[in-house]
Amino acid sequence: MTQTAPIFSNHGCRLNAYETEAMKELAADAGVQNAVIVNTCAVTSEAVRKARQDIRKLRRDYPDAKIIVTGCAAQTEPGTFAKMAEVDLVIGNTEKMDPATWAGMAPDLIGQTEAVQVDDIMSVTETAGHLIDGFGTRSRAYVQVQNGCDHRCTFCIIPFGRGNSRSVPAGIVVDQIKRLVDRGYAEVVLTGVDLTSWGADLPSAPKLGDLVMRILKLVPDLPRLRISSIDSIEVDDNLMQAIANEPRLMPHLHLSLQHGDDLILKRMKRRHLRDDAIRFCQDARTLRPDMTFGADIIAGFPTETEAMFANSLALVQDCNLTWLHVFPFSPRKGTPAARMPQVPGGAIRERAALLRAAGAARAEAYLATQQGQHHAVLMESPRMGRTEQFTEVVFGTDQPESRIVTARITGVAGTQLTA
């Protein structure tokens, strides 16, 4: 059999993408060959279905390779994938980041006898800062600073795929960012499952704002620092101070809002109410007037009435959201929400469409206000870059890749600005 480098297929969140890059290094170091690794997502039932579909396609495309399934769906329902005829090995989220797991596969899983390697994720108490040289474009790197979640939202299976919250110590984070800046990255994005819980398990229980301030102080050559999805109710005073006073902290926040009705938020076991979300957006924009917000919102959560949905729809305007990630609710087996009275599928789809339309209208209105404005744009390719607010800008002529250029916005093309 011809020896080939492993193939990777990533599903789901940015953290999964980060870990896929780490697995590439681990597999290469171990000499793994003739393997296809599928890093699954468990956030919705549809995500699991797509993973199974992908596995079947990959088996057709690579009939002689060993197929290894990992990620959150593999962690939460290993039996589902172990029963698939196409799958040779299932490994959990802890195992996939362990060099010993990959060393045991080399060169091509010869001698592998244990078809399922998935331990109890809740027993994991530490997250090692697996140092990779960044991924994506040569301009932007993602750094995992936290994993897992201590909260138990009634719709979410992720804590059972990721375990309890664990933080990477600040010193390790700073050292990695220094390495990335030395390699020429102009922007670093801090990422995690529940980012605003960073530090709770570390000595003295520092907050995310402390980490942000420390990075900006100790890595003065870092042009841009960005934070990914956050829970606004957990934002600390230092993070608000950084928003107000640190221009190198980018003015775009993606918020885990989920809904705009107080009763639904309580049934979701969220820790904020509608007014908390609105107040945070107002306060952040007062401190940083050029701030933009994205948000996750679920349409059709169990028991959601038309009036409750109207509150969620109005939140788009009330929080002045620019970019929406809309999720039509789908029950996840094993979660409390799956046992609640369900909203009919047709109503869920209609409400999701209305939310997406509201988000598109807000984005269109925001983009229209940018014409004639000047922006610092980080180039991801010769003709495309992003503003500090993470808006894509398309250029008519080549620009220096991975550099920050100042551009005058001349128009709008779909969801992109032009310069």
Side-chain angles (χ1 to χ4, degrees):
M1 180 168 57
T2 303
Q3 298 292 297
T4 59
I7 304 296
F8 286 82
S9 176
N10 184 72
H11 293 245
C13 64
R14 183 62 67 176
L15 184 56
N16 251 18
Y18 180 98
E19 290 173 344
T20 293
E21 295 302 310
M23 284 191 288
K24 288 179 181 179
E25 291 190 1
L26 292 168
D29 290 345
V32 173
Q33 296 179 327
N34 292 327
V36 175
I37 296 91
V38 183
N39 197 12
T40 63
C41 172
V43 70
T44 64
S45 298
E46 178 67 9
V48 177
R49 187 193 69 79
K50 287 182 177 179
R52 289 168 56 84
Q53 184 180 52
D54 188 33
I55 290 165
R56 295 189 184 99
K57 179 179 184 301
L58 288 166
R59 171 53 72 211
R60 293 192 297 270
D61 293 343
Y62 302 97
D64 297 326
K66 299 290 187 180
I67 292 187
I68 303 165
V69 181
T70 187
C72 289
Q75 180 70 47
T76 57
E77 42 188 291
T80 295
F81 297 97
K83 291 176 183 175
M84 294 181 69
E86 298 85 355
V87 174
D88 296 286
L89 178 64
V90 180
I91 61 176
N93 268 335
T94 300
E95 289 76 13
K96 76 182 183 184
M97 303 302 287
D98 186 350
T101 301
W102 299 95
M105 298 178 189
D108 60 359
L109 300 176
I110 292 174
Q112 181 65 55
T113 58
E114 190 175 356
V116 178
Q117 299 180 32
V118 180
D119 286 341
D120 178 12
I121 195 73
M122 294 302 177
S123 67
V124 180
T125 59
E126 295 182 357
T127 286
H130 188 90
L131 302 184
I132 64 173
D133 290 330
F135 70 97
T137 68
R138 287 294 306 161
S139 56
R140 179 177 298 105
Y142 294 80
V143 174
Q144 178 185 350
V145 304
Q146 184 273 340
N147 203 343
C149 184
D150 290 338
H151 310 299
R152 296 296 181 264
C153 296
T154 57
F155 56 84
C156 187
I157 199 72
I158 297 306
F160 303 98
R162 288 287 178 177
N164 293 318
S165 182
R166 293 100 65 198
S167 307
V168 179
I172 294 176
V173 175
V174 168
D175 287 345
Q176 183 177 8
I177 292 175
K178 286 180 178 178
R179 283 196 316 127
L180 293 167
V181 171
D182 288 343
R183 289 178 58 85
Y185 285 92
E187 181 174 300
V188 165
V189 185
L190 304 182
T191 187
V193 174
D194 182 27
L195 193 58
T196 34
S197 71
W198 179 89
D201 57 321
L202 297 176
S204 302
K207 301 290 188 180
L208 180 61
D210 301 321
L211 178 63
V212 167
M213 292 292 225
R214 185 167 180 176
I215 293 168
L216 292 171
K217 178 181 179 180
L218 297 181
V219 196
D221 295 333
L222 172 66
R224 291 184 170 190
L225 179 65
R226 196 179 291 279
I227 54 179
S228 58
S229 181
I230 63 171
D231 197 335
S232 60
I233 199 67
E234 289 188 328
V235 170
D236 60 282
D237 290 343
N238 269 349
L239 186 52
M240 295 301 286
Q241 287 300 312
I243 290 170
N245 301 318
E246 295 288 353
R248 290 187 293 146
L249 179 62
M250 294 297 94
H252 171 75
L253 296 172
H254 190 84
L255 308 176
S256 179
L257 297 182
Q258 308 305 345
H259 212 274
D261 183 83
D262 284 348
L263 184 55
I264 292 293
L265 288 167
K266 289 179 180 178
R267 288 172 176 166
M268 288 179 165
K269 288 192 71 174
R270 301 295 294 168
R271 284 151 292 137
H272 71 274
L273 297 176
R274 173 191 180 83
D275 286 348
D276 296 323
I278 296 171
R279 187 181 309 109
F280 172 79
C281 291
Q282 291 173 341
D283 291 347
R285 189 169 280 110
T286 297
L287 296 173
R288 191 81 176 264
D290 59 343
M291 178 72 72
T292 62
F293 298 105
D296 295 331
I297 299 184
I298 294 174
F301 186 82
T303 76
E304 181 188 75
T305 65
E306 288 289 350
M308 292 170 175
F309 171 71
N311 284 335
S312 216
L313 190 62
L315 192 69
V316 178
Q317 180 72 34
D318 294 340
C319 284
N320 197 11
L321 304 176
T322 303
W323 314 107
L324 292 190
H325 287 177
V326 176
F327 297 88
F329 177 80
S330 62
R332 293 294 285 115
K333 183 179 179 181
T335 62
R339 302 189 296 271
M340 297 178 184
Q342 304 294 305
V343 175
I348 293 176
R349 290 188 291 272
E350 290 175 5
R351 293 171 189 179
L354 288 171
L355 277 170
R356 291 190 181 108
R362 292 296 310 147
E364 182 180 359
Y366 168 74
L367 294 172
T369 67
Q370 300 307 299
Q371 295 192 59
Q373 300 292 319
H374 288 81
H375 279 283
V377 180
L378 175 59
M379 300 305 301
E380 297 182 8
S381 69
R383 296 288 181 101
M384 197 281 286
R386 290 183 188 268
T387 69
E388 293 183 335
Q389 291 79 12
F390 211 60
T391 307
E392 290 187 357
V393 182
V394 177
F395 289 74
T397 58
D398 286 355
Q399 304 295 319
E401 193 171 352
S402 302
R403 299 286 296 274
I404 297 173
V405 301
T406 299
R408 182 180 181 276
I409 303 305
T410 57
V412 177
T415 59
Q416 297 175 315
L417 298 172
T418 58

